[in-house]
Each structure stands twice: as C-alpha cells, then as structure tokens.
Amino acid sequence: MKLAICPGSFDPVTNGHLDIIKRSACLVDKLIVAAFINPTKHYMFTTEERLDMLRETTRNIPNVEVDAFDGLLNEYCAEKNCHLLIRGLRAFSDFEYEFQRALMIKQIDPTLETAFFMTDSRYSYLSSTGVRELAHFNGDITRMVPEYVQEMIRKKLDSMKK
Ligand code: ADP
C-alpha cells in the first residue's frame, strides 16, 4: 500500500492546504494528514479543534486519515511504516526552509523521501498566519478557508473577547 504523510500545524487548515491534500491523495492509497503537537508553540486552536477542522474539511476524500503527533517526525513516520512526506511550496521563502528540512530528515532516515507540491496560483499568498491576522481585524476570509473553518474562527474570536 502506498502511504504518505502530510504534516503541518494546520492552525487552521486553509484552502491552500486542502488543495495540496486533494492533489496528493490522488497519487497514494492512503494519506495521513498529521497535525503537529508542539508544546512550546502557542496555537490559536487546540489540537482537538485543529483535528476537528481537518476531519470536517477532508471528509469527502475517502483515503485521507487525520491524526496528531508529537515528538520527531521521522519517528512518527517509522511508527506508521511510511516513507513518503508531502509538503507544499508557495514561494522562495518556503523553498529555503523546506530544502533544509528535507535534507535534514533524509540525513536522519535515508529511507524517508519528501515530495513537494507547488501551490495553486490562487493560494500562493495564503498562510494560516495570514488568515488568523486578517480574521482578528474582521477582514474577509471567505475565499481563504472553508465555511466550517470560518465559523470556528468566528467562535474562537468571540470566546477570546469574553
Ligand atoms: P502555515 O502555518 O505556514 O500555513 P503549516 O505548517 O500548517 O503552514 O503547513 C503545512 C504544509 O502546507 C507546509 O508544507 C506548507 O508549505 C504547506 N502550505 C501552507 N499553505 C500553503 C498554500 N497556500 N499553498 C501550498 N502549500 C501550503
């Protein structure tokens, strides 16, 4: 079975992520979309909320499974017996970071390959950070994240105001 893992923060999942997820899921038997749990990072959404948004927005893609992981990515891949990582590339700035990460992980585990998907031009500007900032200032995020995520962001911002 051809298995791949698409790791990320997904805080929250955006249409850019979903485009990469859909396109890569077509090429494998199973795609695990795995949300990082990094205790040193401050997320807008809890792990459960990030997973819930991922599950809701990928429920129409039958070979996608949503999971969370902490610790080292290569150890998580070994645990799942997976040798393929999927990442998205937006701009030159992503390239440098992704290049280093891919080489570093290959150094740790030479059986682990990273495959990159070039962003769709519609989403080249899109990041979770941008969506969070825009939403915070009441900007229009309707073309950036699915409706379910828009609603979750609205609820989260309301609860933060209380
Ligand atoms: P971010 O917080 O920067 O949105 P994540 O850590 O959640 O990023 O990203 C997971 C993966 O998705 C990374 O490989 C990232 O480059 C990719 N990605 C994020 N946004 C986009 C986008 N708009 N188009 C293509 N790939 C993207």
Side-chain angles (χ1 to χ4, degrees):
M1 187 177 72
K2 212 186 293 170
L3 172 68
I5 291 176
C6 179
S9 304
F10 306 110
D11 186 37
V13 61
T14 68
N15 289 341
H17 293 129
L18 289 168
D19 173 60
I20 301 294
I21 292 169
K22 280 178 200 146
R23 286 161 55 203
S24 55
C26 289
L27 302 174
V28 293
D29 298 309
K30 184 170 151 186
L31 178 72
I32 301 177
V33 180
F36 290 127
I37 306 172
N38 180 349
T40 64
K41 198 172 158 184
H42 177 75
Y43 296 105
M44 178 176 188
F45 291 97
T46 64
T47 306
E48 256 329 300
E49 288 167 338
R50 288 184 287 138
L51 294 180
D52 173 57
M53 288 183 278
L54 280 170
R55 284 196 194 101
E56 275 299 321
T57 54
T58 59
R59 61 162 66 230
N60 56 347
I61 320 170
N63 61 337
V64 165
E65 186 184 300
V66 171
D67 193 17
F69 75 100
D70 54 12
L72 292 174
L73 180 56
N74 59 296
E75 286 174 7
Y76 176 71
C77 290
E79 189 188 300
K80 296 284 175 189
N81 197 18
C82 174
H83 300 277
L84 180 61
L85 287 169
I86 304 289
R87 300 282 293 172
L89 274 183
R90 281 162 294 194
F92 291 116
S93 46
D94 272 352
F95 178 80
E96 179 146 16
Y97 174 73
E98 294 292 342
F99 181 73
Q100 279 185 6
R101 263 182 76 116
L103 291 192
M104 193 184 278
I105 204 144
K106 188 109 180 112
Q107 184 74 29
I108 299 168
D109 180 353
T111 71
L112 203 44
E113 290 293 346
T114 306
F116 295 98
F117 281 72
M118 200 61 74
T119 187
D120 185 295
S121 56
R122 283 174 297 169
Y123 308 127
S124 59
Y125 66 91
L126 192 49
S127 69
S128 299
T129 310
V131 168
R132 290 196 303 271
E133 281 175 6
L134 197 57
H136 188 78
F137 295 106
N138 281 322
D140 180 6
I141 54 166
T142 50
R143 277 178 300 182
M144 302 177 187
V145 291
E147 249 174 62
Y148 186 80
V149 177
Q150 291 169 37
E151 188 59 19
M152 288 287 283
I153 293 175
R154 199 187 54 73
K155 282 189 196 149
K156 176 64 75 176
L157 290 173
D158 283 351
S159 76
M160 283 160 68
K161 278 180 206 146
K162 280 175 195 158

